[in-house]
Amino acid sequence: MKKLYFCFILFLAPISGKLFSQTGSTFNFTNTGTSSAMDSAIDYSGQIWGQYLNSTVPIKVNVYYAFLGVGTTLAVTMPNGERDFPTAPLDSVWYPSCLANSMEGSELNPGEADMDIFVNNTVNWYFGLDAVCPAGKYDFVTVFLHEIGHGLGFLSLAKLQDTIGSFGHITTADISPLITSFPFPDLQGKYSIFSSYMENGSGQQLDDTLIFPNPSVVLGDEFVSNDLFFNAPLSFAQNGGAPVRIYAPTVYAPGSSMEHLNESTFPPSNPNTLMTPFSGMSEEHHTPGPLTIAILEDIGWNVNHDIGFENILSDLRMEIFPNPVQAEAFIRLDQSVQDEKMEIMDMMGKVVYVRTISVEQGAYYSIDLSALTGGIYTVRIKDGLFKLIKN
Ligand SMILES: [Zn+2]
């Protein structure tokens, strides 16, 4: 059985600050209704995220262990936000407050949490830290890392009402009965930094109001097009030279559509699956994955590339050509590998090709892919992942 993550959004207003130079960041949690085992898992999750993101300003998180209904909701996150602060890279765009604070080097929202995370107390949770979740339980660290990811920037501010799509028109009525610990701002029809990088399969940006007035039916059509992408330089490169598929199913799922990586593109076997909308029982992912980190860097986070990345974000560079490939493909690596396993996975994450390769740096290595059916594949060598299209 799979359950839905449910995630919401909201935001606040500006003040001032400085620059920073620090490795990592600190999370300060204020927990309500939790057990000591849950507190430990919360702190552990903060330590994992804290390795990746540099900020001199602690990230403040309120956690509520509460009844969210008996059903499919695992947890709900409501991020605080800031816009038009002095160091904001873009004007009139909402940034998660913790990101704004990290850019400013000072606290723009004193006394307010950067995110409220509501965790459903009807779920059969596993609070262990070892990523060995027993059958029949949900791995809390996995879900909590996911929810923090929303507070760090995976939020679109999208809303679909009837057929009318909008950005920045979410109100307290939309999140009821939940209430945030911080004042709910007037979003004023502004986009989030995350949604400002969204485009459709034709490369039309969703924040282009000449094409997609906000709000409008044409914008709403895009929200259910199953054809939306996040397109920014670092994640584009990390994704093998392609925009990153966003979850935008033809039946709109409030709180899930527009807020996640596409489920089928990044299935549980994929290292970038953490920020997809569904999590199954005993599904464990205790790292954000290189693509999520690249997206966070794209929206403005100062990312720590020196700690915690050895086994996560590869420094291996690979060239595959031709791409798309018909039958024979050539790969070239920027370093020599000896008896290294190369795997090719389909879009469902199933390994469809395995070979042990040895190749000198810069030499071309030929592989016969004529047996593969047409589609998009991921080539994995060591911890490097590369996209391959087969015609
Ligand atoms: Zn989510």
Side-chain angles (χ1 to χ4, degrees):
M1 179 186 176
K2 289 210 148 196
K3 291 208 176 193
L4 201 62
Y5 296 105
F6 204 73
C7 328
F8 268 122
I9 344 298
L10 46 126
F11 283 113
L12 230 107
I15 314 180
S16 79
K18 302 174 202 162
L19 288 172
F20 63 84
S21 59
Q22 174 180 319
T23 297
S25 53
T26 302
F27 283 73
N28 290 341
F29 296 101
T30 305
N31 305 335
T32 303
T34 59
S35 63
S36 59
M38 186 172 171
D39 290 344
S40 297
I42 288 169
D43 288 340
Y44 180 68
S45 304
Q47 287 163 16
I48 291 173
W49 270 120
Q51 291 181 331
Y52 292 90
L53 306 171
N54 297 327
S55 181
T56 57
V57 184
I59 298 166
K60 300 164 289 177
V61 183
N62 284 352
V63 184
Y64 303 93
Y65 194 46
F67 180 76
L68 300 182
V70 178
T72 59
T73 301
L74 291 171
V76 179
T77 297
M78 301 205 185
N80 203 341
E82 302 281 345
R83 67 176 176 86
D84 299 308
F85 46 94
T87 57
L90 297 175
D91 294 335
S92 293
V93 168
W94 289 106
Y95 288 81
S97 61
C98 52
L99 172 55
N101 287 346
S102 81
M103 288 171 167
E104 281 295 292
S106 66
E107 198 176 5
L108 296 166
N109 57 342
E112 294 174 8
D114 292 311
M115 62 189 88
D116 289 344
I117 300 180
F118 299 84
V119 180
N120 195 343
N121 65 13
T122 68
V123 173
N124 191 11
W125 293 109
Y126 174 64
F127 291 116
L129 312 183
D130 54 5
V132 187
C133 182
K137 291 186 175 240
Y138 287 89
D139 187 57
F140 174 79
V141 170
T142 297
V143 172
F144 200 68
L145 288 172
H146 172 103
E147 295 302 326
I148 291 175
H150 286 296
L152 297 173
F154 271 72
L155 54 124
S156 70
L157 302 181
K159 176 166 119 180
L160 186 68
Q161 195 154 33
D162 300 321
T163 58
I164 298 170
S166 66
F167 287 105
H169 287 281
I170 294 168
T171 66
T172 50
D174 296 313
I175 66 164
S176 175
L178 293 177
I179 297 171
T180 53
S181 66
F182 41 87
F184 196 97
D186 178 0
L187 295 173
Q188 299 186 332
K190 306 294 186 190
Y191 302 78
S192 70
I193 183 62
F194 184 75
S195 58
S196 70
Y197 288 110
M198 278 191 193
E199 65 178 32
N200 63 20
S202 304
Q204 295 172 311
Q205 288 194 252
L206 295 196
D207 67 351
D208 185 340
T209 53
L210 295 177
I211 304 172
F212 304 114
N214 180 24
S216 68
V217 172
V218 287
L219 194 53
D221 289 345
E222 295 298 322
F223 290 3
V224 291
S225 65
N226 207 18
D227 190 33
L228 294 185
F229 300 84
F230 180 94
N231 191 357
L234 298 172
S235 52
F236 183 92
Q238 181 62 45
N239 199 35
V244 182
R245 182 90 178 267
I246 294 296
Y247 185 65
T250 52
V251 176
Y252 194 76
S256 288
S257 291
M258 311 292 290
E259 312 292 345
H260 297 94
L261 302 184
N262 192 44
E263 184 74 32
S264 61
T265 312
F266 306 101
S269 57
N270 187 293
N272 298 303
T273 196
L274 182 70
M275 292 312 294
T276 59
F278 299 100
S279 185
M281 281 183 180
S282 60
E283 196 178 314
E284 305 121 352
H285 311 290
H286 287 193
T287 55
L291 197 51
T292 288
I293 293 298
I295 287 171
L296 292 175
E297 194 167 11
D298 275 327
I299 67 170
W301 276 101
N302 183 306
V303 166
N304 178 18
H305 286 294
D306 298 327
I307 297 176
F309 274 82
E310 288 83 354
N311 299 312
I312 298 161
L313 191 63
S314 175
D315 59 359
L316 182 69
R317 298 281 176 270
M318 180 166 71
E319 181 186 358
I320 307 178
F321 70 95
N323 194 2
V325 59
Q326 302 288 342
E328 188 180 26
F330 297 89
I331 63 171
R332 187 168 68 155
L333 305 175
D334 72 344
Q335 53 190 262
S336 299
V337 297
Q338 187 70 38
D339 295 330
E340 200 69 54
K341 189 164 77 171
M342 176 179 68
E343 294 177 312
I344 299 180
M345 295 164 289
D346 66 14
M347 286 182 69
M348 301 307 292
K350 183 180 162 208
V351 175
V352 294
Y353 183 100
V354 185
R355 174 149 309 175
T356 300
I357 65 169
S358 296
V359 59
E360 292 304 311
Q361 176 182 358
Y364 293 107
Y365 190 89
S366 165
I367 46 177
D368 180 7
L369 300 178
S370 52
L372 297 186
T373 55
I376 300 172
Y377 294 87
T378 301
V379 180
R380 173 159 57 197
I381 300 176
K382 297 172 75 176
D383 52 353
L385 295 168
F386 307 89
K387 274 281 173 281
L388 174 70
I389 297 169
K390 172 77 193 312
N391 278 339

